[in-house]
Amino acid sequence: MTRTSACRLSGSPLEVVLDLGQQPLGNGFLLPDEFSDEYFFSLQCGFSEASRLFQLMEQPAPERMFHQDYAFFSGTSRHMKQHFADFASDVIGKGFITDDSSFIVELGSNDGIFLSHFAQKGIPHLGVEPSGAVADVAESQGITVTREFFDTNLSRRIRDEHGQADVISAANVMCHIPGINELAQGISLLLKEDGVLIFEDPYLGDIIRLTSYDQIYDEHVFLFSALSVQSIFSAVGMELIDLQPQLTHGGSMRYTLAKSGRRAISPTVQVILDQELAQGLDKTETFIQFALRVRESGERLRSKMQQLRSQRKTIAAYGATSKSTTIYNYAGIGPDLIDYICDNTPLKQGKFSPGVHIPIFAEEHFRSHPPEYAFLAAWNHEKELRQHNKAFEDAGGRWITHVPDVHILD
Ligand code: SAH
Ligand code: TMP
C-alpha cells in the first residue's frame, strides 16, 4: 500500500477533493471463509493544479490487485471484442504498423483481446501482463506474453531483447500504474524515434459530466484528461498528436503520442484541450463541486432502492463490476437491498461482492429468477445488456441506473 500527500508526477501538494470512505478491492470477489480478513483501504482522491492530475491518495500494492486470479477478462463483452478489432484496424490503417517487421508492445494485454489481431497476421508483438489467468488465455491463442509489471527495467530488457517498438499500446491500464514518471521514461526508452504510443482510459471529462464516480476504485490510481497526459509526457519529450473520444467504459479517450516534432499534430488536440479548460479540468473547485454531486448521487440511489424495498419489490444487479464495488460500499447498499448480482465471468460466479457481500450467480439465474428491478451495474454495456435481456423488460422488469442521475430507464 502506498499513501501520498504529494502529486505522483509533480511532487506538489495534493488537495483532498473527494472521500469515498473505506473500500475493499474493486475486483476482490471472495468466498465466505475470506470475509473475516478482507482488505480495506481509504479511497480518497486528490487533485494537483500543477500537473492537472486527479489521483488516489492511497493505493493498494499492485500485487494485491493483479495476480493469478485477477477476475477481469476483457473478452466477456462482445461489444469490447468488436471495439478492439476496430482499434487494431485503426492502428494498421494509419500506417503505424507497416509490415511484418514492425513490432508492437501492449501493456496490460489481459486475455489477448487486442494483440490477437496482430498475432493472427504474424506481426511481431509482445504483451506485458502480470495477471496469470488472463495471460493463460492469451497464450493459448498463440500470443507472446511476458508476465511482469511494466517499468523502466523491463522496458530496457524488452529493448535489448527485441529492439525498439513501432507502437506501444495500452487500454485501461496506464491509469493503473502509480509510478507515472518511470512509466513515461520506460515508454520513451522503448519507442522508436518515429514510433507512437496509443492508449485509452476512462476519461475524466466524462466522469465529471456524468457524475460516474464508480470509475474511482483501487486500480484507477489516476483518471486522466488530455491536459494531464500532456503534463506527463512533455517531461520525456513526447507530445499529443491525436485525441479520439470513445464510448467504451462509459466514456473514454484514446490518446496518441509521438516524440516531439516527429509527427503532424491533429487540430482535434487543441480543440479538446480548450474544451477541458472550459470544463474546468485544471481547477480544484471543479472537483469539489463534483464531490457534492457524488454525495447526492449515492444518497439518491440508496433511498430509491429503500423505497422500492418498502414496497416489497425485488431488486438484483446486472454485472459484478469493479465499478459497482465503489457504489455499494460508499452508499451502503448491501444484500438487504440487492438480492443477488448476475455476471457471465465464471471466476466471479459462486463468490460474493467485495465489502458488502452480495452473492453472485451466472446470468441464467437472472432469467430463472427475474427481479422486478435490476440495477445496471455494468451501465457502460447498457446496449448489449438490454439486447440480451429483452425478455426481462417484456415481462415488466425495469432497469435502475445512476448515470447521469439516479432514475428508472424507459
Ligand atoms: N487492456 C485490457 C485489460 C484492462 S485491465 C482491456 O482494456 O480490456 C488492466 C490489465 O492491466 C490487467 O490485466 C492487469 O493485470 C494489467 N496490469 C496492471 N498493472 C500493469 C503493469 N504495471 N504493467 C502491465 N500490465 C499491468
Ligand atoms: P466492466 O464494466 O468493467 O467492463 O465489467 C462488466 C462486467 O459485466 C463483467 O464482469 C462481465 C459482465 N457482463 C455480463 O455479465 N454480461 C454481459 O452481457 C456483459 C456485456 C458483461
Side-chain angles (χ1 to χ4, degrees):
M1 197 269 288
T2 53
R3 187 171 173 91
T4 182
S5 53
C7 168
R8 290 173 178 81
L9 181 69
S10 63
S12 61
L14 276 179
E15 187 164 338
V16 179
V17 289
L18 174 63
D19 188 346
L20 293 164
Q22 287 296 301
Q23 291 275 348
L25 303 178
N27 271 309
F29 303 97
L30 71 179
L31 292 167
D33 65 0
E34 297 166 310
F35 288 175
S36 60
D37 58 350
E38 190 170 5
Y39 175 86
F40 285 85
F41 74 106
S42 167
L43 185 58
Q44 288 186 327
C45 304
F47 182 70
S48 156
E49 286 198 355
S51 65
R52 286 117 175 228
L53 256 175
F54 182 88
Q55 54 201 285
L56 300 190
M57 304 300 295
E58 185 171 317
Q59 194 194 29
E63 296 76 14
R64 197 182 264 287
M65 299 182 283
F66 309 112
H67 44 66
Q68 179 59 31
D69 295 326
Y70 179 63
F72 177 76
F73 290 72
S74 307
T76 45
S77 155
R78 248 185 271 166
H79 175 75
M80 289 308 286
K81 280 188 184 158
Q82 188 57 48
H83 171 76
F84 281 108
D86 296 342
F87 187 177
S89 302
D90 197 40
V91 168
I92 294 170
K94 286 199 166 119
F96 297 145
I97 293 283
T98 45
D99 52 40
D100 58 12
S101 67
S102 302
F103 178 41
I104 177 166
V105 176
E106 187 190 11
L107 315 186
S109 49
N110 198 272
D111 58 7
I113 194 168
F114 177 67
L115 277 186
S116 59
H117 301 285
F118 299 89
Q120 279 156 15
K121 292 188 169 61
I123 295 168
H125 63 273
L126 181 67
V128 180
E129 178 49 70
S131 295
V134 293
D136 289 344
V137 177
E139 282 187 343
S140 73
Q141 294 173 54
I143 295 163
T144 311
V145 180
T146 179
R147 294 169 185 239
E148 289 171 86
F149 288 92
F150 185 82
D151 58 15
T152 34
N153 279 337
L154 179 60
S155 164
R156 272 196 203 93
R157 267 192 287 129
I158 297 174
R159 190 189 57 181
D160 294 347
E161 212 173 300
H162 302 266
Q164 285 177 307
D166 296 273
V167 175
I168 299 178
S169 72
N172 307 302
V173 61
M174 297 282 284
C175 70
H176 292 44
I177 304 177
I180 194 74
N181 287 308
E182 212 191 299
L183 173 67
Q185 281 158 17
I187 285 171
S188 166
L189 270 173
L190 183 55
L191 204 59
K192 281 186 186 163
E193 274 313 287
D194 286 325
V196 291
L197 164 68
I198 309 186
F199 74 96
E200 50 188 48
D201 271 311
Y203 179 54
L204 186 62
D206 289 318
I207 294 164
I208 299 300
R209 188 172 57 80
L210 298 171
T211 317
S212 46
Y213 65 99
D214 48 335
Q215 289 291 5
I216 304 168
Y217 55 93
D218 54 347
E219 295 173 22
H220 292 170
V221 63
F222 299 112
L223 289 167
F224 296 129
S225 58
L227 288 166
S228 56
V229 167
Q230 197 177 42
S231 313
I232 296 164
F233 287 97
S234 63
V236 293
M238 290 177 67
E239 62 187 1
L240 280 167
I241 60 164
D242 202 7
L243 290 168
Q244 295 164 273
Q246 306 291 317
L247 295 175
T248 49
H249 289 291
S252 296
M253 185 64 79
R254 184 177 298 163
Y255 305 90
T256 309
L257 295 104
K259 297 201 172 168
S260 299
R262 304 297 298 195
R263 286 184 180 260
I265 299 177
S266 157
T268 315
V269 172
Q270 197 53 52
V271 171
I272 291 181
L273 288 170
D274 289 344
Q275 274 170 13
E276 292 188 351
L277 293 173
Q279 197 186 353
L281 295 187
D282 57 336
K283 300 262 183 322
T284 304
E285 180 57 25
T286 304
F287 302 97
I288 292 172
Q289 293 304 320
F290 168 66
L292 296 176
R293 296 196 300 279
V294 169
R295 193 153 96 194
E296 195 173 281
S297 176
E299 282 168 3
R300 287 206 175 145
L301 184 63
R302 192 185 52 246
S303 47
K304 181 87 219 158
M305 290 185 180
Q306 279 169 337
Q307 182 202 346
L308 292 171
R309 279 308 224 198
S310 67
Q311 298 163 1
R312 300 185 177 283
K313 304 289 186 199
T314 51
I315 310 174
Y318 213 108
T321 57
S322 37
K323 294 188 288 292
S324 54
T325 298
T326 296
I327 298 182
Y328 301 147
N329 288 279
Y330 172 64
I333 295 171
D336 52 327
L337 295 176
I338 294 182
D339 296 322
Y340 68 85
I341 304 171
C342 77
D343 196 285
N344 65 0
T345 314
L347 217 68
K348 298 181 183 177
Q349 295 159 7
K351 293 195 170 168
F352 290 77
S353 72
V356 295
H357 306 157
I358 305 170
I360 302 166
F361 300 117
E363 287 173 300
E364 291 68 40
H365 191 82
F366 187 80
R367 326 244 195 268
S368 57
H369 298 75
E372 289 163 285
Y373 289 83
F375 176 54
L376 203 47
W379 58 275
N380 44 314
H381 299 289
E382 176 183 333
K383 208 165 143 208
E384 193 169 345
L385 294 184
R386 290 184 81 175
Q387 269 165 7
H388 288 173
N389 293 288
K390 256 195 97 340
F392 165 67
E393 289 185 40
D394 291 347
R398 310 289 304 274
W399 295 104
I400 308 170
T401 188
H402 68 292
V403 272
D405 48 35
V406 174
H407 65 284
I408 311 268
L409 290 178
D410 289 331

